[in-house]
Amino acid sequence: MLELNFSPFPEIKTDRLLLRRLRDTDAPEIFFLRSDETVMKYIDREKPKSEEEALTFIQLVNSNIDKNEAIMWAISLKDRPEKLIGNIGFWRFINQHYRSEIGYMLHPDFWGKDIMKEALLAAADYGFSSMKLHSIEAHINPENIASGKLLEKAGFIREAYFREDYFFKGKFLDTAIYSLLNKK
């Protein structure tokens, strides 16, 4: 059975990136990411209406980290660690099955530069080596071709397609599920 412990918070460094804990000062960037039409095009969640709502979200994320129930990293460039450009994290842990869901967002200015692939591979490595996950799943809107390609480049395999899987804003929407197994 998984026994999660995110204390002290595990910062992750890659060639170009620092994955760090979310800070209250990240609220403007979180507000942008979670309310921008381009970023949210395939993410079916209610958008925050203010930076205060984004700050509440950051505080909820950090509370879940402190309770070892979920983990999310702010993605920043190593040479600008104070500036959040995206986020990535694990939630929906199924402890008895050593499985979790991963999700991510990235500012459009950084799309197409393999930044999210670098962050995804680093987070997956942490999930397998430190958290002892056996499998990681990603749920995406099947119309999000770029996210599907990213997952496949990172070694994920599409396992399922659920038709009319969930209800959002008056309609039923589909879900594609990808997974990555720990091969070590």
Side-chain angles (χ1 to χ4, degrees):
M1 172 114 36
L2 282 180
E3 292 188 27
L4 303 171
N5 183 358
F6 304 125
S7 180
F9 184 84
E11 283 194 349
I12 301 172
K13 294 179 181 174
T14 68
D15 289 343
R16 298 181 290 172
L17 306 175
L18 170 65
L19 306 185
R20 60 165 174 81
R21 190 168 182 142
L22 288 168
R23 303 174 186 142
D24 290 353
T25 54
D26 294 322
E29 288 82 12
I30 289 291
F31 176 65
F32 170 80
L33 286 174
R34 296 180 68 84
S35 64
D36 181 75
E37 291 297 326
T38 304
V39 175
M40 295 297 290
K41 182 176 181 179
Y42 299 111
I43 300 174
D44 303 308
R45 288 195 190 106
E46 291 297 330
K47 297 177 185 92
K49 295 174 181 49
S50 66
E51 283 187 22
E52 290 76 26
E53 286 185 28
L55 179 60
T56 299
F57 171 78
I58 290 169
Q59 292 167 347
L60 175 65
V61 165
N62 283 327
S63 173
N64 287 336
I65 291 167
D66 292 339
K67 293 185 282 186
N68 298 310
E69 293 176 355
I71 187 166
M72 181 179 285
W73 291 271
I75 301 170
S76 61
L77 298 174
K78 269 186 177 175
D79 60 354
R80 294 196 61 207
E82 73 288 347
K83 178 76 171 169
L84 178 146
I85 62 170
N87 61 65
I88 189 165
F90 290 103
W91 62 87
R92 286 193 227 193
F93 288 96
I94 306 172
N95 292 349
Q96 67 272 27
H97 300 303
Y98 298 81
R99 188 172 182 95
S100 181
E101 183 178 342
I102 196 166
Y104 43 83
M105 293 180 157
L106 188 65
H107 192 289
D109 289 351
F110 298 93
W111 290 0
K113 299 177 182 178
D114 279 341
I115 285 177
M116 189 51 75
K117 180 182 175 191
E118 191 172 325
L120 180 58
L121 290 172
D125 182 65
Y126 175 83
F128 291 140
S129 64
S130 296
M131 293 183 349
K132 305 302 182 207
L133 292 173
H134 174 70
S135 59
I136 299 169
E137 64 187 52
H139 297 214
I140 68 166
N141 181 319
E143 294 177 14
N144 191 343
I145 304 301
S147 191
K149 286 181 180 179
L150 164 69
L151 291 164
E152 289 171 358
K153 283 184 195 175
F156 283 73
I157 295 172
R158 187 166 128 178
E159 289 188 339
Y161 188 105
F162 292 110
R163 296 179 307 142
E164 298 185 6
D165 184 41
Y166 63 99
F167 191 76
F168 182 71
K169 291 196 173 183
K171 59 184 175 178
F172 289 96
L173 301 169
D174 297 352
T175 301
I177 299 178
Y178 290 74
S179 77
L180 181 66
L181 299 178
N182 186 355
K183 298 295 187 181
K184 296 177 185 177

